[in-house]
């Protein structure tokens, strides 16, 4: 079946650097994407979402970019802080009759060094 | 209140036991979900409830039995589980208005089956 995947399973950065986490998706029918952050012992925490009719969306210190041509999603974190250390998952929703069916990518471990 | 509360946080059970996981939200959400997450893996959808009715069952074995007594509560009844069922069980909720919605997750129940 089709799935969401990530290019880099681990990413280490220095505090203050910008981080970029990538995600490749294979289902061209997906029309909604979400980035989640999961810290150890906690459930996934919503970071930012984007619909397929957009190519960029900004939040506080985070930006999500969507390239539908190459089916690629990225999460940019500005001025990365130690508290950003976590596993980051992208997730896609097919929409339509696939109500509530979020499919998660494999995750990227982000480690921020002070 | 923007929380999804899950109890218990940890559960150890034998293969002959019957136990229940509980989930509660007071955000007025009408869609609730159960996800299963194995260590170092992404969450995988198990069940979706929409307006207290089961709308998606991802071919989950019958030893897992979901129940949605009302719009704020979601239970997962466990019976005759296997050691491979050991995982983090995550509950989530969303508004239930459209197919493309962000899910709010609880912190999960870490289940160990002996």
């Amino acid at each position: 079946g089709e799935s969401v995947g990530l290019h880099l399973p681990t990413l280490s950065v220095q505090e203050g650097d910008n981080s970029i986490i990538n995600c490749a998706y294979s289902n061209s029918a997906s029309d909604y994407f979400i980035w989640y952050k999961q810290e150890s012992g906690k459930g996934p925490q919503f970071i930012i979402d984007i619909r397929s009719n957009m190519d960029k969306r900004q939040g506080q210190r985070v930006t999500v970019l969507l390239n539908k041509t190459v089916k690629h999603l990225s999460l940019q974190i500005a001025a990365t802080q130690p508290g950003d250390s976590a596993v980051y998952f992208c997730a896609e929703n097919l929409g339509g009759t696939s109500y509530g069916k979020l499919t998660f990518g494999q995750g990227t471990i982000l480690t921020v060094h002070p | 209140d923007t929380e999804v509360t899950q109890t218990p946080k940890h559960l150890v059970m034998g293969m002959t036991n019957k136990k229940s996981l509980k989930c509660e939200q007071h955000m007025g959400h009408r869609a609730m979900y159960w996800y299963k997450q194995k260590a170092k893996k992404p969450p995988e959808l198990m069940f979706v409830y929409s307006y207290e009715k089961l709308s998606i069952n991802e071919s989950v074995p019958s030893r897992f039995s979901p129940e949605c007594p009302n719009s704020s509560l979601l239970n997962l009844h466990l019976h005759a589980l296997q050691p491979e069922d050991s995982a983090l069980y995550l509950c989530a909720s969303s508004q239930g208005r459209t197919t493309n919605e962000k899910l709010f997750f609880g912190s999960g129940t870490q289940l160990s089956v002996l």
Side-chain angles (χ1 to χ4, degrees), chain B residues 15 36 38 63-64 81-87 89 111 113:
Chain B
M15 288 188 284
K36 174 182 178 180
K38 301 284 276 185
R63 57 186 185 268
F64 295 91
L81 294 194
Q82 303 297 310
E84 59 265 29
D85 295 321
S86 298
Y89 289 84
L111 175 67
V113 182

Side-chain angles (χ1 to χ4, degrees), chain A residues 31 36 38 43 51 93 96 99 105, chain B residues 37 42 56 96 98-100 103 106:
Chain A
D31 61 359
Y36 282 96
Q38 187 172 24
R51 302 190 187 281
N93 191 319
Y99 181 85
Chain B
Q37 186 176 26
I56 296 177
T98 72
T99 56
N100 293 334
L103 273 58

Side-chain angles (χ1 to χ4, degrees), chain B residues 6-24:
Chain B
Q6 290 187 245
T7 56
K9 292 194 184 303
H10 302 275
L11 179 63
V12 179
M13 61 185 291
M15 288 188 284
T16 59
N17 291 159
K18 286 185 182 180
K19 296 287 184 182
S20 296
L21 308 185
K22 297 187 182 300
C23 175
E24 189 169 4

Side-chain angles (χ1 to χ4, degrees), chain A residues 31-32 34 36 38 41-44 46 49 51 89 93-107, chain B residues 31 33 35 37 41-43 45 48 50 55-56 58 88 90 94 96-107:
Chain A
D31 61 359
Y32 180 57
I34 307 176
Y36 282 96
Q38 187 172 24
K42 296 184 179 180
F46 171 87
D49 58 359
R51 302 190 187 281
F89 292 101
N93 191 319
L94 290 177
T97 57
S98 301
Y99 181 85
K101 290 187 72 168
L102 268 187
T103 300
F104 283 76
Q106 292 305 304
Chain B
Y33 311 76
Y35 277 80
Q37 186 176 26
K41 295 291 186 182
L45 182 65
V48 180
S50 176
S55 60
I56 296 177
E58 290 287 89
L88 180 68
L90 293 162
S94 68
R97 294 179 188 170
T98 72
T99 56
N100 293 334
E101 299 180 332
K102 55 191 175 195
L103 273 58
F104 293 82
F105 284 86
S107 291

Side-chain angles (χ1 to χ4, degrees), chain A residues 13-91:
Chain A
V13 301
Q14 291 296 126
E15 182 177 2
D17 287 351
N18 296 332
S19 302
I20 299 176
I21 301 172
N22 296 302
C23 176
Y25 66 95
S26 56
N27 196 325
S28 56
S30 294
D31 61 359
Y32 180 57
F33 304 87
I34 307 176
W35 280 101
Y36 282 96
K37 170 187 180 184
Q38 187 172 24
E39 297 174 275
S40 181
K42 296 184 179 180
Q45 176 187 357
F46 171 87
I47 302 173
I48 192 167
D49 58 359
I50 188 167
R51 302 190 187 281
S52 59
N53 61 353
M54 304 172 69
D55 54 21
K56 180 179 180 179
R57 191 159 190 229
Q58 288 184 292
Q60 187 176 13
R61 281 202 305 120
V62 294
T63 301
V64 56
L65 299 178
L66 175 62
N67 185 330
K68 294 180 288 294
T69 303
V70 295
K71 299 191 189 73
H72 185 266
L73 193 68
S74 69
L75 176 70
Q76 301 177 0
I77 305 174
T80 317
Q81 302 167 1
D84 294 326
S85 295
V87 180
Y88 288 81
F89 292 101
C90 63

Side-chain angles (χ1 to χ4, degrees), chain B residues 49-66:
Chain B
Y49 272 83
S50 176
Y51 288 77
E52 295 92 70
K53 287 185 169 46
L54 183 64
S55 60
I56 296 177
N57 176 341
E58 290 287 89
S59 302
V60 179
S62 60
R63 57 186 185 268
F64 295 91
S65 176

